[in-house]
Amino acid sequence: MTKFNKILSLLILISMIVSCGKDKEANFTLKGSIKGLKKGVVYLQKDGDSIIIDLDSMTIAGQPEFTLHTNIDEPILLYLKLFKNDGEEHYIPFFADKGVTTIKTSLNKFNYDAEINGSKQQDLLNEYTKVMSKFNDQNLSLIEANFLAQKENDSIAVDSLNKVSETLMKRKYSYTIQFALNHKDNMIAPYLALYEIPSANPIYIDSVYNGLTEDIKQSFYGKKLEEVIANRSSDE
C-alpha cells in the first residue's frame, strides 16, 4: 500500500469514527431530499447571538438525499441551508424537536416546494404559514392595484386601497395574536410574538406572554419574550 493510500484510508477511518460518534450522540436527525440537485452542500444551522451557527453539513455529489444530526435541549427553530455556488442564499426555516424531521423539496423552488414533517411545533407553523400566505397574496394584489391607481393618478382609488391594506394588516396581526393565544401551551406562541408581530401593541404582546403555561414561559422563546417585555418596560 502506497503512502497516499495509507493516508486516504486513515482519513476515511477517522471520518467513519466521527460519523458514528455523531450518530450515537445526536438526539435530532434531519432527513431529506432535494429533487434535481446534483452537486452542492447542505447545512443544518441555528441562530447564534449575532451570527448563524453551523451544526452539521453534508456534501451532495450525485445523490439527492441527505442526513444531518445535532443535539437540542428543547424545540427550536433551525435552518436547512443549501449552498450551490450561485451567489444566492437558500434557506428553509423549520421547528425542530428531539427525534426525526423530514424535508423534501426541489432545487428550482427550494423554499416554496418544501414539505416539512416532524415536530408538533412544525405542524402548527405549517398551519400558520398556510394562512399567512393567503394574507400575503392579498397584499401583493393590493400593491399591484395601488401601483396602477397611482399610475392613473386616481387619488380616490389610492386612498381606498390604502384603507383596505391597513385593514388587511390589522387582520393579519389579529390572526397571529389569536393563534398564539390559542396555543399557549406550545413553543409556537412566544415564537410568533417575538418574530411575527414584534411591533404589535404591547398590550397584546403582554397578553400572549401572560397566557403562556409555566413550562412554556421557562422555555427558550418564553424567556426571550419575557426579556423583550422587561427591556421595553425599563425604557418607558
Side-chain angles (χ1 to χ4, degrees), residues 26-188:
N27 62 14
F28 172 76
T29 298
L30 175 64
K31 294 183 177 181
S33 62
I34 305 172
K35 184 179 179 181
L37 180 63
K38 301 298 182 183
K39 186 177 181 180
V41 183
V42 289
Y43 297 86
L44 181 61
Q45 301 179 321
K46 72 173 183 178
D47 287 314
D49 291 334
S50 58
I51 59 172
I52 298 294
I53 300 172
D54 291 338
L55 302 172
D56 197 8
S57 64
M58 178 177 171
T59 299
I60 302 293
Q63 85 288 358
E65 295 83 14
F66 61 85
T67 302
L68 302 168
H69 306 275
T70 192
N71 276 289
I72 56 177
D73 297 324
E74 59 183 330
I76 190 171
L77 194 82
L78 299 180
Y79 303 94
L80 171 64
K81 176 186 176 181
L82 169 63
F83 175 77
K84 56 178 183 175
N85 199 29
D86 61 354
E88 297 182 8
E89 299 285 355
H90 306 277
Y91 290 95
I92 296 175
F94 65 96
F95 246 111
D97 198 359
K98 296 175 183 178
V100 179
T101 288
T102 61
I103 296 180
K104 294 182 179 180
T105 187
S106 68
L107 177 61
N108 292 334
K109 296 182 178 180
F110 184 70
N111 299 83
Y112 300 106
D113 283 351
E115 296 180 5
I116 309 171
N117 293 288
S119 69
K120 294 179 180 179
Q121 293 77 19
Q122 182 59 44
D123 290 342
L124 288 174
L125 187 59
N126 287 341
E127 179 183 342
Y128 172 79
T129 53
K130 185 176 181 179
V131 174
M132 284 299 105
S133 66
K134 295 179 180 178
F135 280 120
N136 292 336
D137 288 343
Q138 293 177 49
N139 188 52
L140 287 174
S141 296
L142 287 171
I143 291 173
E144 182 180 1
N146 199 309
F147 173 78
L148 293 174
Q150 291 184 42
K151 190 175 181 180
E152 296 294 330
N153 293 319
D154 190 341
S155 59
I156 295 177
V158 169
D159 289 341
S160 178
L161 288 167
N162 285 338
K163 290 179 181 179
V164 174
S165 181
E166 290 175 6
T167 300
L168 181 65
M169 183 61 66
K170 290 179 181 178
R171 287 175 54 208
K172 184 177 179 180
Y173 267 55
S174 178
Y175 178 84
T176 301
I177 293 166
Q178 193 59 53
F179 194 90
L181 291 172
N182 289 344
H183 299 285
K184 59 186 179 181
D185 58 346
N186 192 287
M187 200 80 75
I188 194 73

Side-chain angles (χ1 to χ4, degrees), residues 193-229:
L194 282 165
Y195 300 108
E196 292 295 319
I197 51 171
S199 58
N201 189 313
I203 293 176
Y204 299 120
I205 300 297
D206 291 348
S207 295
V208 171
Y209 177 77
N210 292 331
L212 298 176
T213 57
E214 193 57 36
D215 59 327
I216 298 300
K217 283 184 178 180
Q218 296 304 315
S219 69
F220 175 75
Y221 293 113
K223 290 179 179 178
K224 288 197 72 171
L225 182 57
E226 180 185 28
E227 182 180 346
V228 167
I229 293 173

